[in-house]
C-alpha cells in the first residue's frame, strides 16, 4: 500500500476520455510502475464565484485538520495494539481497505447530497470530524486515567524498598503484635547489612535477641524484621535513623491486603475492557474520518479546478501514487498534458499552491 498520493486535475478541452487515454499511455511508457486511477467526482453544485473564492480560503486549513485527526486516530490504534501485543488489522472504510477506498472512490449521495451547497458539505464534514475528535479525547482520558492508577500501584510495588508498598513482601507469620511486643520493619542499605546485624540488638533496651530476619533485598536495600517491646519502639526508630536505618510504618491487615488485590484486579479488568472498546471505536471512527476526508478532497479538487480552469466545469481528476524517483517524470507528463489541453485559453482565478499549471495536492495516509 502506498502511503502518499497525489490528487490532480487536468483541464479538458473537448472530452475527458481521450485525455485519460493519453495520460495512461504516457504513464505506462515513461513510468510504468506508477499506479494511476480515475478520481470520480459527481456534478456538484457550483454556486457563485464569490462563494467558491470564500470556500477556497478555508480548504487548506480544513484539509490540515481532517488529515491530523485521521493520523491521530491511526497512531492511537498503533499504540493500543503495541501495548496489548495484538496483531494489526487493516484500516478500512466499511470493510474496504483505505487505499482501495481512495483509488476507487465513489461519492456517497445519501450522506452528502450533490445539490447541497459546497460550503454546507464542507461544514458538515468538519463538524462531524470535530465531534469524533472530541469523543476521542473523552475516551482516551478515561482509558489513561485507569492506566495512571495502575502505573501508580505498580510503581509502589516495584520501586525501592524505601518507598514501595511492603504488603506483598510480608507474611502474617513475620509479624508479632501483642500487648507488649511489636515487630518493626527496617530498611537497611544493601552494604550496611553487617552493621545492622551487629548492632540492632543494642540500639535500645528490650530488643528480642536474634529476632531480626531478612525478608527481601533489592539493588539498594534489604528489608529486615526486628521484634522488641512496644514501649521502646519510638526510641528504636530514632536511634535506627541516626545509624542510617529506616523503620517503615507498617501494620499487617489481611483485609487491607485483599482489598488492594481486588482493587488491582478490577483496574486490570477495566484497563483491558477500555482498551478493547477504545481500539474498536478507533477502527470504526478512522473509517468515518477517512471517508469524510476523501469526500472533502473531492469537493476541494472540484472547487479548485473551477477556480483554476473556469466555467463550465470541464476537467479530468485522477489519483497518482508516484515513487520518489518518478516524481519529476510524472510532473513533466502532467504539465505537458495540461499545457496541451489549456491551449484554448481557459483562464481561471485559482492557482495551485505548489506552483503547477494544473490543480494538485498531496494525501498522506501515514
Amino acid at each position: 500500500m502506498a502511503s502518499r498520493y497525489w490528487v490532480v486535475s487536468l483541464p479538458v478541452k473537448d472530452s475527458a476520455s481521450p485525455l485519460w487515454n493519453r495520460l495512461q499511455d504516457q504513464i505506462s511508457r515513461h513510468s510504468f510502475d506508477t499506479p494511476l486511477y480515475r478520481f470520480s467526482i459527481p456534478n456538484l453544485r457550483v454556486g457563485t464565484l464569490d462563494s467558491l473564492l470564500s470556500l477556497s480560503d478555508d480548504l487548506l486549513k480544513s484539509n490540515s485538520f481532517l488529515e491530523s485527526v485521521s493520523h491521530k486516530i491511526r497512531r492511537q490504534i498503533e499504540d493500543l495494539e503495541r501495548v496489548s501485543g495484538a496483531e494489526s488489522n487493516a484500516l478500512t472504510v466499511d470493510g474496504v481497505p483505505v487505499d482501495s477506498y481512495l483509488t476507487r472512490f465513489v461519492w456517497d449521495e445519501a450522506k452528502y447530497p450533490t445539490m447541497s451547497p459546497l460550503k454546507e458539505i464542507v461544514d458538515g464534514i468538519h463538524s462531524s470530524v470535530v465531534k469524533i475528535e472530541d469523543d476521542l479525547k473523552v475516551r482516551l482520558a478515561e482509558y489513561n486515567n485507569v492506566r495512571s492508577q495502575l502505573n501508580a500501584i505498580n510503581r509502589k510495588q516495584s520501586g525501592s524498598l524505601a518507598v514501595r508498598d511492603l504488603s506483598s513482601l510480608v507474611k502474617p507469620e513475620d509479624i508479632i503484635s501483642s500487648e507488649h511486643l511489636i515487630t518493626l520493619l527496617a530498611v537497611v542499605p544493601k552494604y550496611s547489612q553487617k552493621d545492622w546485624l551487629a548492632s540492632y540488638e543494642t540500639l535500645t533496651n528490650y530488643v528480642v535477641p536474634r529476632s531480626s530476619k531478612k525478608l527481601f533485598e533489592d539493588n539498594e536495600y534489604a528489608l529486615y524484621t526486628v521484634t522488641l517491646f512496644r514501649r521502646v519502639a519510638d526510641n528504636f526508630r530514632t536511634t535506627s535513623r541516626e545509624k542510617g536505618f529506616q523503620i517503615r510504618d507498617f501494620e499487617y491487615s489481611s483485609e487491607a491486603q485483599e482489598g488492594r488485590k481486588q482493587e488491582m484486579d478490577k483496574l486490570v479488568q477495566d484497563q483491558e475492557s477500555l482498551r478493547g472498546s477504545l481500539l474498536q471505536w478507533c477502527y470504526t471512527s478512522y473509517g468515518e474520518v477517512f471517508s469524510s476526508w476523501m469526500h472533502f478532497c473531492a469537493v476541494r479538487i472540484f472547487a479548485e479546478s473551477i477556480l483554476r480552469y473556469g466555467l463550465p466545469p470541464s476537467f479530468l481528476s485522477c489519483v497518482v501514487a508516484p515513487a520518489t524517483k518518478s516524481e519529476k517524470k510524472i510532473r513533466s507528463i502532467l504539465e505537458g498534458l495540461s499545457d496541451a489541453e489549456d491551449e484554448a485559453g481557459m483562464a481561471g482565478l485559482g492557482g495551485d499552491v505548489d506552483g503547477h499549471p494544473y490543480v494538485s495536492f498531496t494525501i498522506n495516509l501515514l
Side-chain angles (χ1 to χ4, degrees):
M1 181 181 99
S3 62
R4 190 172 57 91
Y5 294 85
W6 293 345
V7 181
V8 302
S9 81
L10 300 173
V12 172
K13 186 165 33 176
D14 298 315
S15 170
S17 294
L19 177 59
W20 172 243
N21 292 336
R22 291 203 303 277
L23 178 58
Q24 286 182 302
D25 177 62
Q26 292 202 31
I27 294 289
S28 64
R29 282 195 288 119
H30 300 290
S31 185
F32 67 91
D33 59 345
T34 298
L36 174 68
Y37 312 90
R38 286 288 289 267
F39 192 61
S40 299
I41 301 174
N43 292 319
L44 298 172
R45 183 174 170 182
V46 176
T48 65
L49 191 57
D50 283 345
S51 68
L52 279 179
L53 286 169
S54 175
L55 181 65
S56 70
D57 293 337
D58 299 328
L59 289 175
L60 194 60
K61 184 169 64 175
S62 293
N63 184 75
S64 297
F65 169 70
L66 297 173
E67 183 179 43
S68 70
V69 176
S70 166
H71 291 178
K72 188 183 297 182
I73 297 175
R74 178 185 53 77
R75 287 193 298 269
Q76 190 58 58
I77 289 172
E78 292 171 353
D79 289 345
L80 291 168
E81 288 179 335
R82 184 170 57 252
V83 169
S84 63
E87 186 175 340
S88 297
N89 294 316
L91 296 172
T92 65
V93 180
D94 294 330
V96 179
V98 291
D99 56 329
S100 298
Y101 186 85
L102 166 59
T103 57
R104 296 170 177 79
F105 176 74
V106 177
W107 184 271
D108 188 344
E109 172 69 24
K111 195 170 185 180
Y112 306 103
T114 52
M115 288 308 296
S116 299
L118 295 182
K119 179 170 174 50
E120 185 178 305
I121 294 174
V122 170
D123 287 348
I125 288 172
H126 192 275
S127 296
S128 67
V129 175
V130 165
K131 289 178 182 176
I132 289 174
E133 185 188 35
D134 289 343
D135 198 3
L136 173 63
K137 291 175 181 175
V138 172
R139 291 171 179 268
L140 198 52
E142 185 181 14
Y143 171 65
N144 285 335
N145 180 47
V146 172
R147 284 187 68 193
S148 297
Q149 292 181 59
L150 263 178
N151 289 337
I153 292 174
N154 286 329
R155 279 195 300 272
K156 285 182 179 180
Q157 293 185 340
S158 60
S160 161
L161 282 171
V163 294
R164 67 169 288 178
D165 177 46
L166 302 178
S167 58
S168 62
L169 305 178
V170 183
K171 299 181 177 64
E173 56 268 26
D174 296 326
I175 300 295
I176 294 174
S177 182
S178 66
E179 183 181 354
H180 298 293
L181 292 177
I182 186 173
T183 298
L184 301 180
L185 297 179
V187 175
V188 178
K190 187 173 183 176
Y191 300 106
S192 300
Q193 295 182 69
K194 287 184 179 179
D195 292 342
W196 164 260
L197 293 171
S199 64
Y200 77 89
E201 294 180 5
T202 61
L203 292 177
T204 187
N205 296 327
Y206 306 113
V207 176
V208 177
R210 295 185 298 279
S211 64
S212 187
K213 181 176 71 170
K214 182 160 70 172
L215 302 182
F216 186 78
E217 184 176 323
D218 62 17
N219 293 330
E220 298 178 84
Y221 300 99
L223 182 66
Y224 282 86
T225 61
V226 57
T227 302
L228 57 150
F229 275 67
R230 188 178 288 275
R231 58 191 172 91
V232 297
D234 288 341
N235 190 42
F236 188 87
R237 287 188 178 92
T238 301
T239 53
S240 294
R241 186 168 58 248
E242 291 170 354
K243 292 283 188 179
F245 310 131
Q246 178 188 354
I247 304 302
R248 290 285 308 273
D249 290 328
F250 181 82
E251 185 174 340
Y252 186 85
S253 167
S254 58
E255 294 83 1
Q257 194 161 354
E258 180 61 27
R260 282 190 289 269
K261 182 179 181 303
Q262 289 178 0
E263 179 189 14
M264 182 77 168
D265 291 345
K266 184 179 185 304
L267 285 171
V268 170
Q269 290 177 358
D270 288 348
Q271 179 180 249
E272 291 306 307
S273 174
L274 287 170
R275 181 189 293 149
S277 61
L278 178 57
L279 183 58
Q280 185 59 49
W281 180 89
C282 282
Y283 271 117
T284 302
S285 297
Y286 182 88
E288 292 178 16
V289 170
F290 191 83
S291 173
S292 298
W293 185 20
M294 293 307 101
H295 281 80
F296 171 86
C297 288
V299 173
R300 182 182 179 187
I301 202 79
F302 179 82
E304 291 188 4
S305 296
I306 291 174
L307 291 173
R308 182 72 179 85
Y309 310 130
L311 288 168
S314 184
F315 59 89
L316 168 72
S317 54
C318 55
V319 174
V320 191
T324 303
K325 61 182 175 60
S326 306
E327 286 187 7
K328 287 186 178 179
K329 174 58 69 176
I330 301 299
R331 290 293 186 196
S332 176
I333 292 171
L334 292 169
E335 187 168 337
L337 290 173
S338 174
D339 290 343
E341 287 292 314
D342 212 15
E343 285 174 354
M346 293 179 286
L349 297 175
D352 181 67
V353 292
D354 294 325
H356 306 296
Y358 51 87
V359 176
S360 171
F361 57 85
T362 302
I363 292 177
N364 294 300
L365 298 190
L366 301 178

